[in-house]
Amino acid sequence: MSSPSKALPAWIDVGVIPLINIMLAFFVSGLVIWLIGEDPVEAVKIVVYGAFGNDYNLGYTLYYTTNFIFTGLAVAVAFHASLFNIGGEGQAYIGGLGVGLICLALDQYFPFWIILPLAIVSSGLFGAAWAYVPAYLQAYRGSHIVITTIMFNFIAFSLMNYLLVNVLIEPGQMSPESRDFLASAQIPTMQEAVGWFGFEIQKTPLNLSILLALFSCVFVWLFIWHTRWGYAIRMLGFNENAANYSGINTQRLVVGTMCLSGILAGFVGINEIMGVHHRVLLDFTAGAGFTGIAVALMGRNHPVGIVIASLLFGALYQGGAELSFEIPTIQVEMVKAIQGLVILFCGALAYMARPTVERIFMAIVSNKEVVGEQANG
């Protein structure tokens, strides 16, 4: 989707306005913290240190960031075709199921270098399959994509509950989880990876799937802005009638775009199932699919912006946990409220500050033009 105005240069639209929205969110959050009798400045210090203060905290921040990059990219790709994919949570969930099935079936027979690409393909295919039905209903039956993707989130939760309770559960245990994968189906942690080069860091959930996230960013950038398919997606988002008139099969394009979105969301399963938990379990997505909506909005649907926004939300998740630990009066619910304020200002109110910024920018430009004319005169 494009921005609603062309008056502002890209660096203001992508950089300055999101920064203003973040500052507004933090200002309101600071007021809330002050009203309960705590020091907002001290709270900010705790959040920053809790997110970036040492390699342990940074590892957790980047672990969350990895999930948000996948889901943010998934939402952004759909946005460019003017599709609002709310089903990232379910698509990530089912993508994790695809990863788990490959690992459970093959970890006793094949080495890691064979299982990993198969798991990546499986996660993408399962995520795409879960996005296909809502996409088909939107393209060929007129059903609204928002309604169907939300519905498929709940279906995904129910399906996973059934499979883990009745099919995939490890025999002899009460918890609805599969058996642990063997080492051949586990992605190395970042601690193990840097150890190969003689460095030492503390163990965290961060693993090498972050490289897949960064590769996905490069792929989306190339695909959306440097291929004819990406051009067709953006044309569909700008004007569906023009896309039809130019000969683009918009129905097929809607389905293909949503499937690509599902593939990206499904990659969350690589990070969580193969990289962290090493088994199939319930609720491993932990809301990453919904956070991806705010990440995409804040990042203006561009991979660079999505990486920055994902890092911010990763810092809020990790730093917020540290904040609730260090200051008991700031409970987990309040930390979630702060995260919600960031989502509110950067998502629902993303363009609230835009008219003011435009007026200031145009005033500055006009003043420069007047000064220039006077100097030339």
Side-chain angles (χ1 to χ4, degrees), residues 164-165 169-177:
L164 284 171
V165 170
I169 188 171
E170 182 179 6
Q173 73 170 10
M174 296 297 294
S175 179
E177 300 174 352

Side-chain angles (χ1 to χ4, degrees), residues 18-30:
L19 181 60
I20 292 173
N21 292 333
I22 293 170
M23 293 173 63
L24 288 172
F26 284 161
F27 175 75
V28 175
S29 302

Side-chain angles (χ1 to χ4, degrees), residues 52 70 74 79 86 90 119 134 176 227 236 244 254 271 301:
F52 304 106
F70 287 136
F79 269 10
I86 310 293
T227 68
L236 174 62
N244 275 314
V254 165
N271 183 35
N301 303 315

Side-chain angles (χ1 to χ4, degrees), residues 100-109 115 164 167-171 173 175-186 273 277-281:
L101 293 177
I102 287 292
C103 293
L104 290 172
L106 303 180
D107 62 352
Q108 301 179 61
Y109 309 106
I115 294 178
L164 284 171
V167 180
L168 298 177
I169 188 171
E170 182 179 6
Q173 73 170 10
S175 179
E177 300 174 352
S178 72
R179 65 168 176 84
D180 289 343
F181 306 151
L182 299 180
S184 60
Q186 299 180 14
I273 297 299
H277 301 292
H278 306 142
R279 61 186 182 275
V280 184
L281 71 168

Side-chain angles (χ1 to χ4, degrees), residues 281-297:
L281 71 168
L282 295 175
D283 300 327
F284 64 85
T285 52
F290 298 115
T291 305
I293 299 171
V295 167
L297 290 171

Side-chain angles (χ1 to χ4, degrees), residues 52-226:
F52 304 106
N54 52 50
D55 59 347
Y56 180 82
N57 295 343
L58 180 61
Y60 269 91
T61 297
L62 293 178
Y63 152 66
Y64 293 123
T65 299
T66 302
N67 283 340
F68 300 150
I69 289 175
F70 287 136
T71 56
L73 289 174
V75 174
V77 167
F79 269 10
H80 281 292
S82 195
L83 300 168
F84 199 44
N85 182 12
I86 310 293
E89 187 81 358
Q91 292 151 20
Y93 214 12
I94 299 302
L97 174 63
V99 174
L101 293 177
I102 287 292
C103 293
L104 290 172
L106 303 180
D107 62 352
Q108 301 179 61
Y109 309 106
F110 294 99
F112 173 78
W113 61 273
I114 291 180
I115 294 178
L116 178 60
L118 292 176
I120 292 174
V121 171
S122 180
S123 66
L125 289 178
F126 273 63
W130 207 249
Y132 173 81
V133 177
Y136 178 86
L137 293 175
Q138 161 88 12
Y140 294 96
R141 293 294 182 266
S143 301
H144 201 289
I145 198 71
V146 171
I147 303 301
T148 52
T149 50
I150 290 176
M151 177 185 70
F152 266 66
N153 285 335
F154 291 102
I155 297 175
F157 300 149
S158 299
L159 176 62
M160 287 289 283
N161 283 333
Y162 173 81
L163 291 176
L164 284 171
V165 170
N166 298 283
V167 180
L168 298 177
I169 188 171
E170 182 179 6
Q173 73 170 10
M174 296 297 294
S175 179
E177 300 174 352
S178 72
R179 65 168 176 84
D180 289 343
F181 306 151
L182 299 180
S184 60
Q186 299 180 14
I187 293 180
T189 65
M190 193 59 68
Q191 181 194 41
E192 295 170 338
V194 300
W196 300 336
F197 301 95
F199 299 99
E200 293 185 5
I201 60 174
Q202 299 184 68
K203 185 176 182 179
T204 65
L206 180 63
N207 58 80
L208 291 182
S209 61
I210 192 173
L211 300 180
L212 176 62
L214 297 177
F215 173 80
S216 298
C217 290
V218 175
F219 167 79
V220 169
W221 175 71
L222 291 173
F223 180 81
I224 294 296
W225 283 277
H226 296 277

